[in-house]
Amino acid sequence: NLSVPETGASSLRSGTAPNWTGATGKGVIIGIVDSGIDINHADFKDANGKTRVLYLWDQVATTGTSPSGYTYGNECTKTVIDAGGCSAATAQDTNGHGTHVAGIAAGNGQATGNGYAPYYYVGVAPEADLIIVNSLNGATATNAVVDGIAYIQAKAASLGKASVINLSLGNHDDPHDGTSSYARALDNATGKGKVIIVCAGNEAGSNIHASGTVTQGGPKTVDFEIPANKEGYLTIWYAGSEQMGISVSNGTCTTPVVNPGSTQPFETSCGAITISSSDVQAINGDRNIAVKLASGSNPLT
């Protein structure tokens, strides 16, 4: 259990579970918008075996009781969870990522050694309450993520508590300069007692970004590789005052040039390629090119 001392959180609290003193998250709500949570996991229950999850909204569910103000998904309250009434589909985390993230943020270690030394794993805020949104399909559907944030903050406000919401969704679709409608929605949702944490991603050692200058009437080549039988996405942003055509080629397969204002799919012997080149975006005055590539039996390089 090295992560908590590494962040310095352990210096703000003392004692051992369940006899904590200091800053343990008590009285604060941690919100997780991710792939849900395993509500039967002991790390998210209190010493009496009652859940610390106050609300769980499964946005992916096609049936069930939707939360007030929304018309999709299934909601389980703490009362329903403790009574064992949360549906099996909503109660589990088939991906596992949301449970993993929630454990780092708020696990209390009860699942390993009942929270006692020497072998236990305790998160940063082991006494915080939790509100969980399963937005597994919302990693790219940003409207679902924004709905999840609004849901958590509304529930926290009704309880008179502050909230800290974690988004470990790894989204690289926007221009990364704070001008997208999604980034602005996150900015607008923050304030006193409303904190949102967005992951920086796990690609520090990966070569996933490129930049360059295209001269007037000239070309600029960017090299990349999509492994065999995999999908990949390429997103390009550039100034709205300019216009740029784009083509994808590996020497064997070459698409025609796609110009701004057009979306064109291509079925090639190397795989399916879809190029979308936008006109000026209203959100920031820039232009965007999105390329979806699905390689065939050979890498698309």
Side-chain angles (χ1 to χ4, degrees):
N1 190 22
L2 302 177
S3 61
V4 173
E6 189 71 20
T7 65
S10 58
S11 65
L12 301 176
R13 70 184 188 217
S14 59
T16 57
N19 302 309
W20 297 111
T21 58
T24 61
K26 191 170 185 177
V28 175
I29 288 174
I30 290 181
I32 307 289
V33 181
D34 209 287
S35 63
I37 192 170
D38 176 4
I39 60 173
N40 295 313
H41 198 294
D43 276 13
F44 309 118
K45 296 182 179 181
D46 62 23
N48 298 316
K50 301 296 184 181
T51 187
R52 292 162 55 214
V53 178
L54 303 184
Y55 295 95
L56 168 58
W57 179 20
D58 177 13
Q59 293 180 326
V60 185
T62 56
T63 60
T65 303
S66 300
S68 177
Y70 300 93
T71 58
Y72 62 101
N74 182 39
E75 180 186 58
C76 292
T77 64
K78 173 179 169 62
T79 300
V80 170
I81 294 171
D82 280 332
C86 198
S87 71
T90 295
Q92 63 181 330
D93 174 10
T94 57
N95 180 282
H97 189 265
T99 301
H100 161 74
V101 169
I104 294 173
N108 62 14
Q110 287 193 153
T112 49
N114 294 318
Y116 293 95
Y119 301 111
Y120 63 92
Y121 297 90
V122 178
V124 173
E127 292 189 310
D129 291 320
L130 291 156
I131 298 179
I132 306 296
V133 176
N134 178 1
S135 186
L136 181 61
N137 294 337
T140 54
T142 53
N143 59 320
V145 177
V146 172
D147 280 354
I149 292 169
Y151 170 82
I152 294 169
Q153 291 180 338
K155 294 295 188 184
S158 70
L159 297 169
K161 294 185 176 182
S163 65
V164 179
I165 300 174
N166 185 81
L167 307 177
S168 291
L169 303 177
N171 191 332
H172 291 289
D173 289 340
D174 73 10
H176 287 7
D177 61 1
T179 60
S180 73
S181 55
Y182 179 51
R184 290 161 65 186
L186 298 187
D187 285 342
N188 292 336
T190 61
K192 184 177 181 180
K194 298 187 294 184
V195 176
I196 298 175
I197 299 170
V198 180
C199 70
N202 301 319
E203 298 89 6
S206 302
N207 186 20
I208 63 170
H209 293 100
S211 63
T213 300
V214 182
T215 59
Q216 179 68 36
K220 175 66 178 180
T221 300
V222 176
D223 296 322
F224 58 91
E225 179 176 336
I226 307 299
N229 300 312
K230 297 291 185 179
E231 287 189 351
Y233 298 86
L234 179 67
T235 301
I236 302 170
W237 290 87
Y238 65 101
S241 58
E242 308 293 337
Q243 294 192 50
M244 185 186 301
I246 182 170
S247 172
V248 176
S249 175
N250 68 351
T252 301
C253 303
T254 301
T255 71
V257 173
V258 177
N259 292 311
S262 177
T263 296
Q264 296 186 38
F266 304 100
E267 292 292 339
T268 76
S269 60
C270 303
I273 301 172
T274 301
I275 302 176
S276 298
S277 184
S278 79
D279 284 321
V280 176
Q281 298 282 298
I283 59 171
N284 58 9
D286 291 338
R287 296 182 190 268
N288 170 241
I289 298 173
V291 183
K292 179 180 178 181
L293 307 109
S295 68
S297 58
N298 296 308
L300 184 59
T301 302

